């Protein structure tokens, strides 16, 4: 990577943090999923224990490890290691979609793309710089979301049960395999839509399709059809990595002057 | 060495529209070439072909012997482009925009800032350097685009209607800068415009386009001799002889087409001999506008 590409990456990342509307969109979903949801869930179980009993019956379906005899601790463990991992996947999809839509379609919409195309960088370098910027923002948002989620859950866990509840191996695959690859898939979908899309919102609709498999995973898990084990996540991660590689290559071929300046 | 060469250059868009049709032009260093014609003449398409944004359907074009379709980034390093569709970032200030574009042209941030401030001073934008682009007027944006195109000291400038939206004073400022750049720095300017009067002020050579075809090409003198030789003699007089009254304008001025200077004293003598007084005589050579309209009407009548 050269300094010219670094300048594009820096500019793209700064432009999203300077745009209040975009920045709010980036913040809302992670705050709801990683702070609000666990906070409300754990406190409601704590203050209304009858609800918790029904939930404990549901938990028998899942292979929860033996906890120190506390049903609340089991519920917190369920929250952290069964419920939140799938919800968490929405964050990298959303962050990379918002960022790449602004980076690719936003430039076209504001007529700044043509200026960038007249610079002494190859199309491949411009494409790479923009993909890297979107990817870095997505990873940054995911890392901050995970950290804040952990702080909320551990604080509540210690305050309620007197001990911490640790994340299991699933989180390793979520953070280091699935979140990065699913971000790349979302970025490539936006790039492919960028030729046809007239506005940022048009392009973001493309990434909504990625949420469907995530929702299916959630439904499958809650209906008992599917249990999201560490091994299943590893397989999903490898498939996502393959898909991301293929789609990146395809998107790069789609990234041509004439296609980009059409309309 | 030819800086720009267009050889039988043609571009047909996917819908079948022939935007550029077999155009041949060569440009040398330091020339200010006026590529003139109305909207839809193929001027912007030609700039896009020279910038590598479009691939020719037939023929070829080169910039410093480089094929823009094959080596666009090498061509971009040598040229600066100002077009209506090439805008800058509203969220950044004037100087931040120039520093960003300087950095992607390979300049260090301090070099970009120094060069950017120099250009902002020259283009009378220095006081607005820390204002966000969203607060700039159309004219200010246009001048900043001009500064952006010059940030890396290009060897060629492709300008597509660079003074549209500018007030007369700012337009004059840009004209002076174009003249200076070509004269002192040897920059070749490829200027597209439909404002023929303004082009005549700054261009050294012209290409007249209509519907993708190059109607004529050359210096003003060459175009005058090729297209409409002669001049118009303007006389303000009284007691105009009957045979000359058909040349009289509603304002009472005689406008007589002449082929040689010899016709001037002959006409003056006739007016004086018929008892008239002459208050003013001048000859006007055909302007670029006259040549363009002469060409287009001749083409229409040939159809």
């Amino acid at each position: 990577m050269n300094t010219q590409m670094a300048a594009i990456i820096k500019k793209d990342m700064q432009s999203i943090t300077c745009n209040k509307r975009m920045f709010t969109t980036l913040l809302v979903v992670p705050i709801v999923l990683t702070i609000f949801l666990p906070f409300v869930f754990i406190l409601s179980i704590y203050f209304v224990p009858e609800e918790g009993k029904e939930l404990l019956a549901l938990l028998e379906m899942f292979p929860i490890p033996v906890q120190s005899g506390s049903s609340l601790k089991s519920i917190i463990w369920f929250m952290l290691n069964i419920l939140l991992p799938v919800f968490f996947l929405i964050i990298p999809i959303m962050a990379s979609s918002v960022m790449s839509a602004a980076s690719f379609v936003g430039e076209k919409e504001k007529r700044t793309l043509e200026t960038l195309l007249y610079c002494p960088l190859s199309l491949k370098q411009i494409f790479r710089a923009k993909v890297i910027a979107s990817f870095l923002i997505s990873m940054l948002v995911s890392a901050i979301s995970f950290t804040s989620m952990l702080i909320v859950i551990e604080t509540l866990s210690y305050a309620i049960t007197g001990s911490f509840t640790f994340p299991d191996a699933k989180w390793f695959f979520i953070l280091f395999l699935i979140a990065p690859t699913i971000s790349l898939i979302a970025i490539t979908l936006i790039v492919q839509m960028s030729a046809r899309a007239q506005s940022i919102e048009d392009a973001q609709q493309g990434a909504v399709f990625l949420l469907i498999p995530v929702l299916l995973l959630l439904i499958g898990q809650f209906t008992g059809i599917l249990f999201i084990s560490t091994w299943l996540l590893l397989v999903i991660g490898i498939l996502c990595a393959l898909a991301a590689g293929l789609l990146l290559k395809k998107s790069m071929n789609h990234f041509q002057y004439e296609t980009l300046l059409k309309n | 060495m030819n800086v720009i060469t267009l050889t039988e250059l043609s571009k047909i868009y996917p819908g079948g529209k022939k935007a550029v049709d077999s155009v041949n032009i060569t440009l040398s260093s330091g020339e200010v070439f006026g590529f003139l014609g109305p909207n839809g003449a193929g001027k912007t398409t030609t700039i896009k072909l020279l910038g590598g944004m479009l691939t020719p359907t037939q023929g070829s074009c080169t910039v410093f012997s480089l094929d823009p379709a094959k080596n666009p980034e090498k061509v971009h390093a040598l040229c600066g482009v100002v077009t209506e569709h090439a805008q800058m970032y509203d969220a950044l200030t004037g100087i931040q925009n120039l520093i960003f574009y300087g950095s992607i042209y390979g300049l260090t941030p301090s070099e970009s800032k120094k060069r950017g401030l120099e250009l902002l001073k020259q283009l009378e934008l220095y006081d607005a350097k820390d204002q966000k682009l969203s607060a700039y007027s159309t004219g200010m944006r246009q001048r900043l685009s001009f500064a952006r195109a010059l940030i890396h000291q290009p060897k060629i400038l492709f300008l597509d209607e660079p003074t549209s939206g500018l007030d007369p004073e700012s337009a004059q400022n840009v004209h002076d800068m174009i003249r200076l750049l070509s004269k002192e720095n040897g920059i070749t300017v490829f200027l597209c415009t439909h404002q023929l009067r303004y082009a005549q002020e700054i261009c050294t050579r012209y290409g007249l386009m209509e519907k993708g075809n190059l109607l004529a090409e050359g210096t003003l003198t060459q175009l005058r001799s090729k297209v409409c030789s002669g001049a118009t003699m303007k006389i303000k007089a009284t007691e105009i002889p009957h045979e000359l009254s058909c040349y009289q304008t509603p304002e009472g001025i005689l406008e007589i087409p002449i082929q040689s200077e010899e016709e001037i004293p002959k006409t003056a003598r006739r007016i004086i001999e018929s008892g008239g007084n002459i208050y003013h005589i001048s000859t006007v050579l055909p302007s670029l506008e006259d040549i363009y309209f002469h060409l287009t009407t001749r083409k229409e009548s040939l159809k």
Side-chain angles (χ1 to χ4, degrees), chain A residues 3-5 7-8 11-12 14 18 107 110-112 114-123 257-258 261, chain B residues 11 48 51-55 72-73 76-77 81 83-89 100-101 103-106 148:
Chain A
T3 50
Q4 286 114 306
M5 281 171 72
I8 296 179
K11 188 270 302 164
D12 272 11
Q14 275 175 348
C18 293
E107 292 243 22
K110 287 171 187 155
R111 292 177 160 187
T112 50
E114 191 168 328
T115 323
L116 203 58
L117 298 180
Y118 277 118
C119 291
L121 284 167
S122 68
L123 269 179
Y257 289 119
E258 287 200 37
L261 295 180
Chain B
K11 177 67 189 175
K48 284 186 176 172
M53 298 289 133
L54 295 173
T55 316
E73 61 272 25
H76 297 165
V81 183
T83 77
E84 188 196 342
H85 296 288
Q87 298 291 325
M88 286 185 276
Y89 300 99
F100 168 68
Y101 285 104
S103 63
I104 48 175
Y105 274 97
R148 189 254 309 145

Side-chain angles (χ1 to χ4, degrees), chain A residues 172-215:
Chain A
F172 180 81
F173 293 116
I174 293 268
L175 290 171
F176 295 103
L177 188 62
I178 300 182
T181 52
I182 211 165
S183 296
L184 286 174
I185 294 174
I187 295 165
T188 54
L189 284 180
I190 298 282
V191 174
Q192 292 200 15
M193 295 213 61
S194 66
R196 275 168 288 148
Q198 287 300 305
S199 66
I200 294 176
E201 290 76 15
D202 272 1
Q204 281 170 349
Q205 280 166 13
V208 171
F209 293 111
L210 265 182
L211 292 176
I212 295 170
V214 176
L215 289 174

Side-chain angles (χ1 to χ4, degrees), chain B residues 95-171:
Chain B
I95 189 67
Q96 282 172 342
N97 264 297
L98 294 184
I99 293 172
F100 168 68
Y101 285 104
S103 63
I104 48 175
Y105 274 97
L107 272 66
T108 63
S110 60
E111 282 171 348
S112 302
K113 191 173 181 182
K114 195 181 161 211
R115 175 96 181 117
L117 290 173
E118 272 170 26
L119 288 164
L120 289 175
K121 266 182 203 160
Q122 284 178 50
L123 288 157
E124 291 168 7
L125 283 171
Y126 190 80
D127 292 339
K129 69 179 193 305
D130 296 320
Q131 273 178 35
K132 287 204 170 168
L133 199 59
S134 50
Y136 274 39
S137 67
T138 313
M140 288 161 85
R141 280 168 185 265
Q142 192 74 347
R143 278 181 283 156
L144 192 70
S145 289
F146 200 64
R148 189 254 309 145
L150 291 169
I151 193 88
H152 59 298
Q153 295 179 306
K155 290 183 175 162
I156 309 164
L157 269 181
F158 291 114
L159 308 174
D160 194 3
E161 305 287 358
T163 51
S164 67
L166 293 190
D167 56 76
E169 203 182 326
S170 305

